[in-house]
Amino acid sequence: MSDFQTIADRVEIEALRGEFTDGTMMRDYDRIASLFTPDGALRMPNIPAELIGQEAIRAYGRNVPEFVEFLVQNTHPGTIQINGDTATGRAYMSEIGRAFDGRSSMMYAIYHDRYQRTPDGWNFAERLYEVRYEDTSPLTGSGSSPRPPKAPTDSPPGDNPRPKNDGDPGHTTTLRHLKSG
């Protein structure tokens, strides 16, 4: 990593991965969908779900609040390999969730990513979720769903730097277990 552009690209890709996790935690599937190229794919074989295109990602997410009580996802930095206007990488995940019917899941997984540089910056061309460990023991703690974000008090009027949460659902990686029953 010897040139400024490579460093900037890595920072932008890491920010993209952070936006995905934040969108998941805030159940903002409009934002999550916007992080993908128009024909981008979100693949979760464990559920199973293969979502191709932004609208499919958005539509799938709208069903999640019907059965997921809460979901907590943490992303841990992984690898990034840049090759011009494309890149590949991995992000390491830990997450827990519980369905409204009481079924629980704790997972450790890897996102295998392909990225594409666009005129607006880096986007996901593909995210493939690989579960490495799953524990379905009952979660005894309590959780909550996200609440609509409030604009910081120092923001200019009408400028909310955080996307609106309109109730769209959160992330789906533990959903195979939580959805089936």
Side-chain angles (χ1 to χ4, degrees):
M1 209 177 358
S2 60
D3 64 63
F4 180 75
Q5 185 60 54
T6 301
I7 295 168
D9 288 341
R10 292 177 65 81
V11 169
E12 287 181 35
I13 290 169
E14 198 60 56
L16 175 71
R17 298 192 299 199
E19 285 291 322
F20 184 92
T21 299
D22 189 67
T24 297
M25 293 293 296
M26 300 310 298
R27 294 186 170 194
D28 187 348
Y29 265 79
D30 287 329
R31 179 166 42 137
I32 290 172
S34 76
L35 301 175
F36 285 79
T37 59
D39 60 346
L42 177 55
R43 293 184 168 91
M44 300 168 286
N46 60 305
I47 292 179
E50 184 157 325
L51 311 172
I52 309 298
Q54 294 173 340
E55 187 51 41
I57 294 166
R58 193 176 290 115
Y60 183 83
R62 288 189 181 112
N63 294 320
V64 174
E66 296 176 17
F67 56 91
V68 174
E69 177 187 352
F70 71 89
L71 180 73
V72 177
Q73 180 186 82
N74 292 290
T75 304
H76 308 279
T79 64
I80 299 171
Q81 296 84 34
I82 299 167
N83 185 12
D85 289 339
T86 64
T88 58
R90 287 186 296 275
Y92 305 101
M93 310 300 299
S94 61
E95 54 188 30
I96 61 172
R98 183 170 52 222
F100 285 113
D101 67 6
R103 286 174 291 127
S104 299
S105 182
M106 177 179 68
M107 290 184 159
Y108 294 92
I110 302 171
Y111 269 118
H112 300 272
D113 294 333
R114 287 188 308 110
Y115 312 101
Q116 178 68 50
R117 187 191 319 267
T118 71
D120 296 323
W122 288 94
N123 286 94
F124 294 108
E126 177 183 37
R127 288 208 103 181
L128 172 63
Y129 192 76
E130 177 194 356
V131 175
R132 288 294 181 98
Y133 173 83
E134 181 177 18
D135 181 349
T136 59
S137 302
L139 297 172
T140 58
S142 61
S144 65
S145 293
R147 300 198 183 358
K150 295 180 180 177
T153 56
D154 60 347
S155 294
D159 181 19
N160 184 350
R162 295 181 68 192
K164 178 179 178 277
N165 181 335
D166 59 2
D168 276 357
H171 194 57
T172 58
T173 54
T174 61
L175 299 182
R176 176 191 48 82
H177 173 71
L178 298 176
K179 189 175 184 180
S180 63

